[in-house]
Amino acid sequence: MSESSPALEILSRHPWFGKAGDQLASLAGRARAKAWTGGQTIFQRRENADSLVILVSGLVRLSLITEEGREVTVRMAAAGEVFGELGILDGEPRSTDATALTKVAGFTLAREDVWGLIEASGPFRKAVIGGLCSRLRETTAQLESIALMSIETRVARLFHHLAVDRRKEGGRIEVSLPYSQGELASLVGATRPKVNQAISQLLDRGALVRTKAGYSCHLEKLAELAQLDEI
């Protein structure tokens, strides 16, 4: 695989694999290109975990089905993110279902290739540990917000998260909402009517403004309503 391959470019920008140093090109050469259509299952809970996925484009929902048959969204994976890594690292079956919400393109890396890099590269090992700790903190924060915060606060935090990566000096930041109403409700642990009501409240307070492409976000107002210390 050439040095300018898409797999190498994506992996070099990832916070884990970017630490692989001289071994990255060899690893990228073993990556396998994959594509899924919207609505297609990528893997299912309790399946054997033989590879992880590096997402190049599209949106993937990681979810669980409760005993009552209700689907609960654990998180969304977007371009540049890795998912399916837990089973690779601990050898256990998949812990969630993974479903392509849009047309999705990515690369898979086999378990043995990832473990070969873990054993060979100290910087990569540290990056993996740091990434897993960050994921755990995010999950803890999500559970805290569902248990202790109002729906308006949860929705404000979600919009703030979407907007903060597109921060500009002053003014508003325009984002398109990459979820359906049902998926958004599942993410914040609420019903669709309650989420719609919360969005209306954010619109009334000037934290959001509807646009043709989605919403224009006011970071300072969102941070205040989301009870965040930093903008």
Side-chain angles (χ1 to χ4, degrees):
M1 184 173 290
S2 69
E3 291 187 0
S4 61
S5 71
L8 181 57
E9 292 177 4
I10 291 291
L11 289 172
S12 66
R13 293 195 298 268
H14 190 269
W16 298 6
F17 294 99
K19 304 295 185 182
D22 295 339
Q23 300 177 73
L24 184 59
S26 175
L27 183 73
R30 295 191 291 275
R32 302 181 64 180
K34 296 284 187 178
W36 297 270
T37 59
Q40 186 175 355
T41 298
I42 297 174
F43 57 70
Q44 291 181 307
R45 189 183 185 191
R46 300 189 179 91
E47 283 184 352
N48 179 49
D50 58 359
S51 63
L52 58 74
V53 181
I54 304 102
L55 194 56
V56 177
S57 63
L59 189 67
V60 173
R61 176 175 61 209
L62 302 171
S63 61
L64 303 170
I65 302 296
T66 68
E67 293 183 357
E68 295 78 19
R70 185 169 66 92
E71 186 172 33
V72 177
T73 299
V74 177
R75 74 180 181 96
M76 298 287 190
E81 295 187 57
V82 165
F83 63 93
E85 72 279 12
L86 289 183
I88 297 300
L89 296 173
D90 66 11
E92 295 295 320
R94 302 291 192 192
S95 58
T96 65
D97 297 329
T99 306
L101 295 180
T102 63
K103 184 178 179 181
V104 166
F107 296 93
T108 60
L109 283 172
R111 184 174 189 271
E112 56 267 26
D113 291 330
V114 176
W115 266 103
L117 185 57
I118 289 174
E119 292 169 351
S121 172
F124 179 72
R125 284 197 300 274
K126 291 180 180 179
V128 170
I129 293 170
L132 291 175
C133 289
S134 295
R135 185 71 51 77
L136 180 58
R137 289 180 185 277
E138 290 171 3
T139 301
T140 300
Q142 183 180 10
L143 292 173
E144 179 188 28
S145 69
I146 290 174
L148 302 177
M149 297 177 183
S150 69
I151 296 172
E152 182 185 11
T153 300
R154 294 178 234 164
V155 174
R157 286 198 169 202
L158 187 143
F159 273 100
H160 187 274
H161 175 74
L162 291 173
V164 75
D165 289 337
R166 303 182 64 181
R167 186 196 308 261
K168 297 178 182 178
E169 289 297 328
R172 291 178 171 271
I173 301 171
E174 191 158 333
V175 300
S176 58
L177 195 61
Y179 320 119
S180 69
Q181 289 183 337
E183 291 156 0
L184 178 58
S186 180
L187 273 176
V188 300
T191 63
R192 288 173 60 180
K194 291 290 188 181
V195 168
N196 288 336
Q197 183 179 8
I199 291 176
S200 295
Q201 291 171 341
L202 295 177
L203 290 166
D204 291 342
R205 292 170 179 256
L208 298 177
V209 173
R210 291 190 192 275
T211 66
K212 290 183 179 180
Y215 294 90
S216 178
C217 301
H218 192 296
L219 270 184
E220 290 186 3
K221 291 181 179 180
L222 278 176
E224 179 182 354
L225 295 171
Q227 300 178 15
L228 297 171
D229 294 330
E230 296 182 359
I231 298 173

